[in-house]
Amino acid sequence: MAANETSMLAATYDVEPAGGNRFRQSQAQDILAAVLKEKLLGATYHAENSSAWAREIADEVKGRLKAQEKWTRYKYVVQVFIGEQRGEAVRMGCRCFWDPKTDDYAQQVFSNETLFCVASAYGVYLY
């Protein structure tokens, strides 16, 4: 390049997922359902095991979400709650501050005779 020539560079950062590469709630719910079924089918509630199970489920869900090649530049938050099934009501809620054009979440519930599990996965696009 000559001393008097200038070069213009275009911005190369992405502010939205390309094409159909947005976090899809239905696909994330399928992942959650599969992991919950694999890990908890036939399980019996024990307070000593519930913390380890929750951690294993969260790690597995997060790993499968990250393996989705179309969801690049997403960060994931996975929350798993396991409790004893005793016929009592439980209410859970969440509040998030995000961009509704790029970010979303999925939730799945699993229960059997002795336990219930609520798993949530949040996909947040990294600008």
Side-chain angles (χ1 to χ4, degrees):
M1 185 179 324
N4 60 354
E5 292 181 30
T6 58
S7 145
M8 296 290 290
L9 298 176
T12 58
Y13 55 89
D14 296 325
V15 293
E16 286 188 3
N21 296 342
R22 188 175 178 272
F23 182 85
R24 298 280 179 220
Q25 185 181 43
S26 61
Q27 293 170 349
Q29 281 180 325
D30 292 344
I31 291 170
L32 287 166
V35 172
L36 292 179
K37 187 175 179 182
E38 289 171 17
K39 299 285 186 181
L40 297 177
L41 192 64
T44 303
Y45 180 81
H46 295 288
E48 305 82 39
N49 298 341
S50 62
S51 178
W53 286 346
R55 206 171 10 262
E56 288 174 17
I57 291 168
D59 289 343
E60 180 69 22
V61 168
K62 196 172 186 182
R64 290 191 191 186
L65 290 171
K66 285 182 176 182
Q68 298 292 313
E69 294 178 5
K70 60 186 169 248
W71 293 339
T72 57
R73 297 185 55 103
Y74 270 93
K75 296 294 181 186
Y76 302 103
V77 177
V78 179
Q79 181 181 24
V80 178
F81 180 79
I82 298 175
E84 185 175 10
Q85 188 78 276
R86 297 192 313 195
E88 300 170 351
V90 175
R91 290 182 183 249
M92 298 180 71
C94 70
R95 186 174 292 186
C96 302
F97 182 71
W98 61 26
D99 184 352
K101 292 185 287 186
T102 58
D103 307 335
D104 209 347
Y105 80 102
Q107 181 177 305
Q108 192 68 35
V109 178
F110 176 91
S111 65
N112 64 19
E113 298 79 31
T114 63
L115 63 85
F116 68 93
C117 178
V118 179
S120 303
Y122 304 86
V124 181
Y125 189 74
L126 179 64
Y127 291 99

